[in-house]
Each structure stands twice: as structure tokens, then as C-alpha cells.
Amino acid sequence: MAAQKMTGTQRSILVVVLVPVFMSLLSISSINVVLPAVQTSLAAPTSQIQWVLSGYTLAFGVLLVAGGRAGDTFGRGKIFVAGLALFGLGSLIAGLALNGPMLIAARIITGFGSGLLNPQTVGFIQQFFEGPGRARAFASFGSVVGVSVAIGPVLGGGLIALLGQDWGWRWTFLVNVPIAAAAMWSAYRNFPTAAWQRFVPEGMDVTHHKPDLDPVGTTTFTVGTLLVMWTFLELDKGGIYFLMLPIGVIILAWWVWWERRYKRRGGDPMVDMALFKNRSYRNGTLLIGLFFTGSTSVWVTVAIFLQTGHGISALLAALVGLPSAVATSISSQIAGRFVLRAGRAMVAWGMSITLTALASSMFVVLGVHFWGWSVWWLVLTLALMGVGQGFIISPNQTLSLIEVPAHVSGVAGGVMQTGQRVGTSVGTALITSMLFGVAAAYSWNWAFVAAFGTIMVMVVAALIVAVVDILGTRRVQAAVPQGHEAK
């Protein structure tokens, strides 16, 4: 049977929502390259520079679930445009910042914008796409994620090389302003009426059902997530910051209890815990959180290793990731065509490819250390990693959300993305600390091997979850009497 083609409306929706997502993720990956220029230009102390990073990450991470809930409740189009407005405003202030505190405030505003608009993307795809079309839409989403991570450092390094230290870093932010404005205009022009309205499940009596925002659940989850992420973003400071982790975990445990109690009392909880009874969603959320805990540290490790360990310029170091970005884009599109047929086995194969790429990258660096090989062989091994990631991110998203009702898809996507952001914070803090520690004690080559070895451990953990899910699916299929499969 031929695959159903996307309608003009679907194509417009996909373009409108994916461009800002690319832009928001680019703001995470591009900032590392321009930080030295920012510090010199604004004469900012190291503590302020760290908050330029942390402020955006925290604001982005803590608002994802609340943003998804708001989109499900009030209409995804409204929250998406509000997120774009905040993102554009924050980018404008950042590009014109006169000092460190002004830049930090701008980054927090930008992070809030990202937290509002990102979960709407998942909600829109769930709402307006079905079956193979939905898989292809998520494939495009996966391509955007992979390319944004690799292309960000190239953009930052290229703008500094072209415009100089001061205006170069400013334009990494200012370039977002016209994009955000164009996306807002395009959203008003291209989104169908259903995008602006609350998604009401079939059969619900809207005349007697007012939106329930669950303020206690929303606040509790936000505070708990903030404390957990903040712990790892301030890992190098120790002391009182270590107390935030157990407090955050306790608050999140209480949040789970509250959400269950709130539902039993007839309320509409921020996150319905029945979501996690869905095996595919539960396993997929855990799997991708573990994967991001390791994989998102790859490019930070590579950048530091090449620049600090081997004296390579920021722009050249960033170019190492381009083949990987291209490979991710291509493999994501291939995966989108076959994921519904292959199931979670495709994700497991993607992780196997990723593990092969990590191991071969370690072997290259050992070759650099012992036999004088060229460090540029990493371009090939990291390109292989891009292939693997294309078979992981978008297929896992498709499979995890396949049975999630459209009216809660914003929240479901927000929970998944929050797990990814927390995993990124944890992994980046732990792996970069290890990288610098081993480099100081031994050498940068051994530091790279240790960091990539740790990343492999996290990918193996994610692979185990994928295998458990595959075995669970087979048990369920085996329990279905013959002749009932087609019903």
C-alpha cells in the first residue's frame, strides 16, 4: 500500500513548529563556543558566565511539563505563539546586553519561551498526524534535534570568525529575532482553527467542565525538577548544593502521591499517572532519558578535547560534527518509513550502532596516543554515531507516544523532554568533571577515553531498557490467540 502523502496543511504545520524547535535547541549547542567572547566583551566574572548557561537550561527544563499542560488546556497555538514571543524577546535582549546580569535575565526569558513552545510540537504532531504520516513527522523532528546539536557550534564559531568577538556572539542571539517573528506570523496564517482551541476528548461535556490547572501539582513538580537540575548544574561547587538533590527527589515523590490523590478526589491532575501504565510510553521515556544522559555529552567532550587537548580552533572543532549531523538527518528519514514495521528493535539497532561508534572513537584516540594517528579520523567514527542516533530519537518518540491520547500529548511530550533535559544536566556535569579530572591526572587522550567509556555505560543501560521492551511486546503478542491479530 502506498504511503499517504502529507496534506498542504500538515506540511505547513510541520515547517512552522520545527523551525522554532531547531532555533531553541541551537541556543543550547551554540553557546559553548561563544562564551569566551562573551566573557571578554562584557568583562563578566566566571560565576556570571556559568549562569548564562545554567539560567537557560533551568528555565527550559522546569517549564516543559507545565507548558505541555497549558497547550492541552488552552490551545496549543496560543501557547506556541506565546513561547515564540518570549523566545524572540529574550534573544533580542541577549543580543543587546550591556552586562552579565542583563544577559542572564535574557537567557532565562529565552529558556521560558523554549519551555512553552517545545512540548507543543509533540502535541501538534499527535493531533494532526496519524499512522505512517506521524512517524515521518517525528522523523523530521529527530532530524532537527540531531542537526541542531551539531550545527550550533559551527554557527557560533562562524559568526565570531566573520563578525569579530563582540558582534559575533551578539548575532548568535539576534539571528533568532526575525526567525521568531516570521514563525509567529506563519502560525497565525497556517494553523487550522483546531490548533487554537482546547483539545476536548470526544464525549466530554464542555459546558460543565472547566479547565483544571492543578496549581499544587504544577508548582510542586516545577520546584522538584528545578532542585534536581540545579544540583548538577552547580556540581563543582559542592556544599549546600548537594542538599538540593535529596530535597528535590522528596518533593517529586510527594508530587506523585499528590497527583494520584488529586485524581481520586475527582480533579484533573497535571500529569495523569495512568500514562505510565502504558508500557511503551513508560519504557520509551526511561530509555531516552538514559540515552540523553550519556549521548548529549559527546559533543561537549569532543569540543573540549580538540580545542584544549590538541589546540584546534573552535570553528574547526565544530566542523567535526557536520558529517554526523548529515548522517542523523538522513537516517532519521529512513527510520521514519520503517519504524512502525520494525518497532523498538530499530531503536535497539540504533543503540548498537552508537556503541560501535563510541568504541571506535576510543580506539582512534588510543591510536593517537600510542601510534601517532591523526585525530581527524574521529570525523568518520562520529559520523557513524550520527547514523545510530537517527535510528533512536525519532523512532523512540513515535513508538512511545503511539498509544497516548491526543488530548494529553502535550503533557506526555513535556514529561519525555523533561527527562531528556534532566539527563543532559546530570550527564554533562558528571562527564565533564571526569574529563577535566582525568586530563589533570594523566592526559587529554586518556580523559577522552574515560569520558566516552562512561557514555557507553549509559547507552548500554538504555539498550537494556529497549531489549526489555522488545521482550515485553513479544510476550503480549504471544498471549493473543491466533486469528485475533487482524481484528
Side-chain angles (χ1 to χ4, degrees), residues 62-92:
V62 301
L63 208 60
L64 282 165
V65 177
R69 171 59 182 255
D72 293 341
T73 303
F74 297 112
R76 295 182 180 119
K78 299 172 187 175
I79 305 303
F80 182 79
V81 170
L84 281 171
L86 281 177
F87 191 92
L89 175 63
S91 297
L92 178 62

PDB file of all heavy atoms in Angstrom, residues 62-92:
ATOM      1  N   VAL A  62      12.361  23.298  33.515  1.00  0.00           N
ATOM      2  CA  VAL A  62      11.288  23.251  34.510  1.00  0.00           C
ATOM      3  C   VAL A  62       9.933  23.604  33.936  1.00  0.00           C
ATOM      4  O   VAL A  62       8.899  23.321  34.551  1.00  0.00           O
ATOM      5  CB  VAL A  62      11.598  24.190  35.705  1.00  0.00           C
ATOM      6  CG1 VAL A  62      12.899  23.792  36.372  1.00  0.00           C
ATOM      7  CG2 VAL A  62      11.640  25.652  35.267  1.00  0.00           C
ATOM      8  N   LEU A  63       9.886  24.215  32.761  1.00  0.00           N
ATOM      9  CA  LEU A  63       8.605  24.672  32.214  1.00  0.00           C
ATOM     10  C   LEU A  63       8.014  23.709  31.179  1.00  0.00           C
ATOM     11  O   LEU A  63       6.888  23.920  30.711  1.00  0.00           O
ATOM     12  CB  LEU A  63       8.773  26.068  31.581  1.00  0.00           C
ATOM     13  CG  LEU A  63       7.528  26.961  31.574  1.00  0.00           C
ATOM     14  CD1 LEU A  63       7.049  27.217  32.993  1.00  0.00           C
ATOM     15  CD2 LEU A  63       7.805  28.280  30.869  1.00  0.00           C
ATOM     16  N   LEU A  64       8.726  22.645  30.832  1.00  0.00           N
ATOM     17  CA  LEU A  64       8.270  21.779  29.747  1.00  0.00           C
ATOM     18  C   LEU A  64       6.920  21.119  30.042  1.00  0.00           C
ATOM     19  O   LEU A  64       6.016  21.136  29.199  1.00  0.00           O
ATOM     20  CB  LEU A  64       9.324  20.704  29.475  1.00  0.00           C
ATOM     21  CG  LEU A  64      10.541  21.165  28.667  1.00  0.00           C
ATOM     22  CD1 LEU A  64      11.676  20.154  28.773  1.00  0.00           C
ATOM     23  CD2 LEU A  64      10.164  21.391  27.217  1.00  0.00           C
ATOM     24  N   VAL A  65       6.771  20.520  31.226  1.00  0.00           N
ATOM     25  CA  VAL A  65       5.518  19.820  31.533  1.00  0.00           C
ATOM     26  C   VAL A  65       4.386  20.816  31.726  1.00  0.00           C
ATOM     27  O   VAL A  65       3.271  20.620  31.216  1.00  0.00           O
ATOM     28  CB  VAL A  65       5.688  18.931  32.778  1.00  0.00           C
ATOM     29  CG1 VAL A  65       4.366  18.257  33.127  1.00  0.00           C
ATOM     30  CG2 VAL A  65       6.753  17.867  32.531  1.00  0.00           C
ATOM     31  N   ALA A  66       4.659  21.914  32.444  1.00  0.00           N
ATOM     32  CA  ALA A  66       3.632  22.939  32.615  1.00  0.00           C
ATOM     33  C   ALA A  66       3.239  23.547  31.268  1.00  0.00           C
ATOM     34  O   ALA A  66       2.060  23.831  31.021  1.00  0.00           O
ATOM     35  CB  ALA A  66       4.148  24.035  33.554  1.00  0.00           C
ATOM     36  N   GLY A  67       4.223  23.729  30.379  1.00  0.00           N
ATOM     37  CA  GLY A  67       3.925  24.242  29.052  1.00  0.00           C
ATOM     38  C   GLY A  67       3.076  23.281  28.245  1.00  0.00           C
ATOM     39  O   GLY A  67       2.139  23.689  27.536  1.00  0.00           O
ATOM     40  N   GLY A  68       3.384  21.990  28.346  1.00  0.00           N
ATOM     41  CA  GLY A  68       2.579  20.991  27.656  1.00  0.00           C
ATOM     42  C   GLY A  68       1.159  20.958  28.171  1.00  0.00           C
ATOM     43  O   GLY A  68       0.195  20.855  27.399  1.00  0.00           O
ATOM     44  N   ARG A  69       1.006  21.063  29.505  1.00  0.00           N
ATOM     45  CA  ARG A  69      -0.324  21.066  30.113  1.00  0.00           C
ATOM     46  C   ARG A  69      -1.123  22.303  29.665  1.00  0.00           C
ATOM     47  O   ARG A  69      -2.314  22.229  29.357  1.00  0.00           O
ATOM     48  CB  ARG A  69      -0.177  21.054  31.630  1.00  0.00           C
ATOM     49  CG  ARG A  69      -1.459  21.269  32.427  1.00  0.00           C
ATOM     50  CD  ARG A  69      -2.512  20.207  32.110  1.00  0.00           C
ATOM     51  NE  ARG A  69      -3.726  20.473  32.844  1.00  0.00           N
ATOM     52  CZ  ARG A  69      -4.122  19.791  33.906  1.00  0.00           C
ATOM     53  NH1 ARG A  69      -3.381  18.786  34.331  1.00  0.00           N
ATOM     54  NH2 ARG A  69      -5.247  20.090  34.524  1.00  0.00           N
ATOM     55  N   ALA A  70      -0.440  23.451  29.625  1.00  0.00           N
ATOM     56  CA  ALA A  70      -1.111  24.678  29.196  1.00  0.00           C
ATOM     57  C   ALA A  70      -1.606  24.562  27.756  1.00  0.00           C
ATOM     58  O   ALA A  70      -2.709  25.007  27.428  1.00  0.00           O
ATOM     59  CB  ALA A  70      -0.166  25.864  29.342  1.00  0.00           C
ATOM     60  N   GLY A  71      -0.790  23.954  26.878  1.00  0.00           N
ATOM     61  CA  GLY A  71      -1.202  23.771  25.495  1.00  0.00           C
ATOM     62  C   GLY A  71      -2.394  22.848  25.363  1.00  0.00           C
ATOM     63  O   GLY A  71      -3.326  23.112  24.581  1.00  0.00           O
ATOM     64  N   ASP A  72      -2.396  21.750  26.142  1.00  0.00           N
ATOM     65  CA  ASP A  72      -3.527  20.822  26.126  1.00  0.00           C
ATOM     66  C   ASP A  72      -4.801  21.499  26.627  1.00  0.00           C
ATOM     67  O   ASP A  72      -5.904  21.172  26.185  1.00  0.00           O
ATOM     68  CB  ASP A  72      -3.226  19.606  27.016  1.00  0.00           C
ATOM     69  CG  ASP A  72      -2.100  18.738  26.460  1.00  0.00           C
ATOM     70  OD1 ASP A  72      -1.794  18.846  25.259  1.00  0.00           O
ATOM     71  OD2 ASP A  72      -1.521  17.949  27.244  1.00  0.00           O
ATOM     72  N   THR A  73      -4.650  22.428  27.566  1.00  0.00           N
ATOM     73  CA  THR A  73      -5.798  23.033  28.236  1.00  0.00           C
ATOM     74  C   THR A  73      -6.362  24.248  27.492  1.00  0.00           C
ATOM     75  O   THR A  73      -7.584  24.390  27.353  1.00  0.00           O
ATOM     76  CB  THR A  73      -5.421  23.463  29.673  1.00  0.00           C
ATOM     77  OG1 THR A  73      -4.929  22.320  30.383  1.00  0.00           O
ATOM     78  CG2 THR A  73      -6.616  24.047  30.403  1.00  0.00           C
ATOM     79  N   PHE A  74      -5.480  25.120  27.018  1.00  0.00           N
ATOM     80  CA  PHE A  74      -5.932  26.401  26.453  1.00  0.00           C
ATOM     81  C   PHE A  74      -5.830  26.488  24.936  1.00  0.00           C
ATOM     82  O   PHE A  74      -6.333  27.441  24.340  1.00  0.00           O
ATOM     83  CB  PHE A  74      -5.123  27.548  27.064  1.00  0.00           C
ATOM     84  CG  PHE A  74      -5.305  27.686  28.547  1.00  0.00           C
ATOM     85  CD1 PHE A  74      -4.257  27.406  29.404  1.00  0.00           C
ATOM     86  CD2 PHE A  74      -6.522  28.064  29.086  1.00  0.00           C
ATOM     87  CE1 PHE A  74      -4.413  27.523  30.776  1.00  0.00           C
ATOM     88  CE2 PHE A  74      -6.684  28.184  30.459  1.00  0.00           C
ATOM     89  CZ  PHE A  74      -5.634  27.911  31.306  1.00  0.00           C
ATOM     90  N   GLY A  75      -5.192  25.525  24.309  1.00  0.00           N
ATOM     91  CA  GLY A  75      -4.990  25.568  22.865  1.00  0.00           C
ATOM     92  C   GLY A  75      -3.509  25.686  22.554  1.00  0.00           C
ATOM     93  O   GLY A  75      -2.827  26.601  23.032  1.00  0.00           O
ATOM     94  N   ARG A  76      -3.004  24.745  21.764  1.00  0.00           N
ATOM     95  CA  ARG A  76      -1.555  24.689  21.522  1.00  0.00           C
ATOM     96  C   ARG A  76      -1.054  25.877  20.724  1.00  0.00           C
ATOM     97  O   ARG A  76       0.073  26.332  20.908  1.00  0.00           O
ATOM     98  CB  ARG A  76      -1.230  23.372  20.813  1.00  0.00           C
ATOM     99  CG  ARG A  76      -1.527  22.182  21.702  1.00  0.00           C
ATOM    100  CD  ARG A  76      -1.200  20.846  21.096  1.00  0.00           C
ATOM    101  NE  ARG A  76      -1.536  19.822  22.077  1.00  0.00           N
ATOM    102  CZ  ARG A  76      -2.431  18.857  21.898  1.00  0.00           C
ATOM    103  NH1 ARG A  76      -3.081  18.778  20.750  1.00  0.00           N
ATOM    104  NH2 ARG A  76      -2.684  17.988  22.844  1.00  0.00           N
ATOM    105  N   GLY A  77      -1.881  26.390  19.817  1.00  0.00           N
ATOM    106  CA  GLY A  77      -1.458  27.532  19.018  1.00  0.00           C
ATOM    107  C   GLY A  77      -1.168  28.746  19.877  1.00  0.00           C
ATOM    108  O   GLY A  77      -0.172  29.453  19.677  1.00  0.00           O
ATOM    109  N   LYS A  78      -2.023  29.002  20.884  1.00  0.00           N
ATOM    110  CA  LYS A  78      -1.841  30.167  21.755  1.00  0.00           C
ATOM    111  C   LYS A  78      -0.534  30.056  22.546  1.00  0.00           C
ATOM    112  O   LYS A  78       0.234  31.020  22.637  1.00  0.00           O
ATOM    113  CB  LYS A  78      -3.015  30.279  22.725  1.00  0.00           C
ATOM    114  CG  LYS A  78      -4.373  30.458  22.055  1.00  0.00           C
ATOM    115  CD  LYS A  78      -5.489  30.360  23.079  1.00  0.00           C
ATOM    116  CE  LYS A  78      -6.853  30.362  22.403  1.00  0.00           C
ATOM    117  NZ  LYS A  78      -7.948  30.150  23.382  1.00  0.00           N
ATOM    118  N   ILE A  79      -0.281  28.896  23.127  1.00  0.00           N
ATOM    119  CA  ILE A  79       0.916  28.720  23.960  1.00  0.00           C
ATOM    120  C   ILE A  79       2.166  28.710  23.085  1.00  0.00           C
ATOM    121  O   ILE A  79       3.219  29.224  23.479  1.00  0.00           O
ATOM    122  CB  ILE A  79       0.814  27.426  24.782  1.00  0.00           C
ATOM    123  CG1 ILE A  79      -0.474  27.425  25.614  1.00  0.00           C
ATOM    124  CG2 ILE A  79       2.025  27.270  25.684  1.00  0.00           C
ATOM    125  CD1 ILE A  79      -0.614  28.612  26.553  1.00  0.00           C
ATOM    126  N   PHE A  80       2.058  28.144  21.892  1.00  0.00           N
ATOM    127  CA  PHE A  80       3.189  28.121  20.966  1.00  0.00           C
ATOM    128  C   PHE A  80       3.610  29.541  20.591  1.00  0.00           C
ATOM    129  O   PHE A  80       4.797  29.888  20.632  1.00  0.00           O
ATOM    130  CB  PHE A  80       2.797  27.333  19.711  1.00  0.00           C
ATOM    131  CG  PHE A  80       3.889  27.193  18.695  1.00  0.00           C
ATOM    132  CD1 PHE A  80       4.901  26.262  18.858  1.00  0.00           C
ATOM    133  CD2 PHE A  80       3.900  27.994  17.559  1.00  0.00           C
ATOM    134  CE1 PHE A  80       5.903  26.131  17.907  1.00  0.00           C
ATOM    135  CE2 PHE A  80       4.899  27.868  16.611  1.00  0.00           C
ATOM    136  CZ  PHE A  80       5.905  26.928  16.788  1.00  0.00           C
ATOM    137  N   VAL A  81       2.640  30.380  20.251  1.00  0.00           N
ATOM    138  CA  VAL A  81       2.943  31.766  19.878  1.00  0.00           C
ATOM    139  C   VAL A  81       3.479  32.538  21.084  1.00  0.00           C
ATOM    140  O   VAL A  81       4.408  33.350  20.956  1.00  0.00           O
ATOM    141  CB  VAL A  81       1.697  32.445  19.283  1.00  0.00           C
ATOM    142  CG1 VAL A  81       1.920  33.939  19.122  1.00  0.00           C
ATOM    143  CG2 VAL A  81       1.362  31.821  17.932  1.00  0.00           C
ATOM    144  N   ALA A  82       2.922  32.280  22.275  1.00  0.00           N
ATOM    145  CA  ALA A  82       3.433  32.936  23.484  1.00  0.00           C
ATOM    146  C   ALA A  82       4.892  32.547  23.725  1.00  0.00           C
ATOM    147  O   ALA A  82       5.723  33.396  24.090  1.00  0.00           O
ATOM    148  CB  ALA A  82       2.577  32.556  24.692  1.00  0.00           C
ATOM    149  N   GLY A  83       5.209  31.271  23.519  1.00  0.00           N
ATOM    150  CA  GLY A  83       6.588  30.826  23.665  1.00  0.00           C
ATOM    151  C   GLY A  83       7.513  31.496  22.663  1.00  0.00           C
ATOM    152  O   GLY A  83       8.641  31.890  22.999  1.00  0.00           O
ATOM    153  N   LEU A  84       7.045  31.622  21.426  1.00  0.00           N
ATOM    154  CA  LEU A  84       7.843  32.309  20.401  1.00  0.00           C
ATOM    155  C   LEU A  84       8.102  33.766  20.774  1.00  0.00           C
ATOM    156  O   LEU A  84       9.208  34.282  20.583  1.00  0.00           O
ATOM    157  CB  LEU A  84       7.118  32.256  19.058  1.00  0.00           C
ATOM    158  CG  LEU A  84       7.217  30.959  18.262  1.00  0.00           C
ATOM    159  CD1 LEU A  84       6.269  31.006  17.074  1.00  0.00           C
ATOM    160  CD2 LEU A  84       8.642  30.716  17.795  1.00  0.00           C
ATOM    161  N   ALA A  85       7.072  34.428  21.306  1.00  0.00           N
ATOM    162  CA  ALA A  85       7.231  35.828  21.689  1.00  0.00           C
ATOM    163  C   ALA A  85       8.283  35.977  22.784  1.00  0.00           C
ATOM    164  O   ALA A  85       9.146  36.872  22.725  1.00  0.00           O
ATOM    165  CB  ALA A  85       5.890  36.394  22.156  1.00  0.00           C
ATOM    166  N   LEU A  86       8.223  35.103  23.800  1.00  0.00           N
ATOM    167  CA  LEU A  86       9.219  35.149  24.871  1.00  0.00           C
ATOM    168  C   LEU A  86      10.613  34.836  24.339  1.00  0.00           C
ATOM    169  O   LEU A  86      11.599  35.476  24.719  1.00  0.00           O
ATOM    170  CB  LEU A  86       8.847  34.162  25.981  1.00  0.00           C
ATOM    171  CG  LEU A  86       7.768  34.592  26.966  1.00  0.00           C
ATOM    172  CD1 LEU A  86       7.474  33.470  27.946  1.00  0.00           C
ATOM    173  CD2 LEU A  86       8.185  35.858  27.709  1.00  0.00           C
ATOM    174  N   PHE A  87      10.692  33.834  23.460  1.00  0.00           N
ATOM    175  CA  PHE A  87      11.989  33.455  22.911  1.00  0.00           C
ATOM    176  C   PHE A  87      12.593  34.602  22.105  1.00  0.00           C
ATOM    177  O   PHE A  87      13.790  34.907  22.238  1.00  0.00           O
ATOM    178  CB  PHE A  87      11.848  32.212  22.031  1.00  0.00           C
ATOM    179  CG  PHE A  87      13.167  31.605  21.646  1.00  0.00           C
ATOM    180  CD1 PHE A  87      13.731  30.604  22.413  1.00  0.00           C
ATOM    181  CD2 PHE A  87      13.841  32.041  20.518  1.00  0.00           C
ATOM    182  CE1 PHE A  87      14.960  30.063  22.072  1.00  0.00           C
ATOM    183  CE2 PHE A  87      15.067  31.506  20.165  1.00  0.00           C
ATOM    184  CZ  PHE A  87      15.629  30.499  20.943  1.00  0.00           C
ATOM    185  N   GLY A  88      11.781  35.224  21.269  1.00  0.00           N
ATOM    186  CA  GLY A  88      12.283  36.346  20.473  1.00  0.00           C
ATOM    187  C   GLY A  88      12.686  37.529  21.333  1.00  0.00           C
ATOM    188  O   GLY A  88      13.728  38.162  21.100  1.00  0.00           O
ATOM    189  N   LEU A  89      11.877  37.827  22.366  1.00  0.00           N
ATOM    190  CA  LEU A  89      12.198  38.937  23.265  1.00  0.00           C
ATOM    191  C   LEU A  89      13.505  38.660  24.011  1.00  0.00           C
ATOM    192  O   LEU A  89      14.379  39.537  24.103  1.00  0.00           O
ATOM    193  CB  LEU A  89      11.054  39.139  24.264  1.00  0.00           C
ATOM    194  CG  LEU A  89      11.292  40.194  25.360  1.00  0.00           C
ATOM    195  CD1 LEU A  89      11.460  41.579  24.741  1.00  0.00           C
ATOM    196  CD2 LEU A  89      10.139  40.177  26.366  1.00  0.00           C
ATOM    197  N   GLY A  90      13.642  37.453  24.545  1.00  0.00           N
ATOM    198  CA  GLY A  90      14.864  37.104  25.262  1.00  0.00           C
ATOM    199  C   GLY A  90      16.090  37.166  24.371  1.00  0.00           C
ATOM    200  O   GLY A  90      17.160  37.636  24.786  1.00  0.00           O
ATOM    201  N   SER A  91      15.958  36.721  23.126  1.00  0.00           N
ATOM    202  CA  SER A  91      17.075  36.754  22.186  1.00  0.00           C
ATOM    203  C   SER A  91      17.482  38.190  21.863  1.00  0.00           C
ATOM    204  O   SER A  91      18.671  38.503  21.736  1.00  0.00           O
ATOM    205  CB  SER A  91      16.704  36.014  20.898  1.00  0.00           C
ATOM    206  OG  SER A  91      16.448  34.646  21.156  1.00  0.00           O
ATOM    207  N   LEU A  92      16.478  39.069  21.725  1.00  0.00           N
ATOM    208  CA  LEU A  92      16.769  40.473  21.437  1.00  0.00           C
ATOM    209  C   LEU A  92      17.530  41.120  22.597  1.00  0.00           C
ATOM    210  O   LEU A  92      18.539  41.817  22.388  1.00  0.00           O
ATOM    211  CB  LEU A  92      15.464  41.229  21.177  1.00  0.00           C
ATOM    212  CG  LEU A  92      15.588  42.736  20.914  1.00  0.00           C
ATOM    213  CD1 LEU A  92      16.408  43.001  19.662  1.00  0.00           C
ATOM    214  CD2 LEU A  92      14.202  43.368  20.795  1.00  0.00           C
TER     215      LEU A  92
END
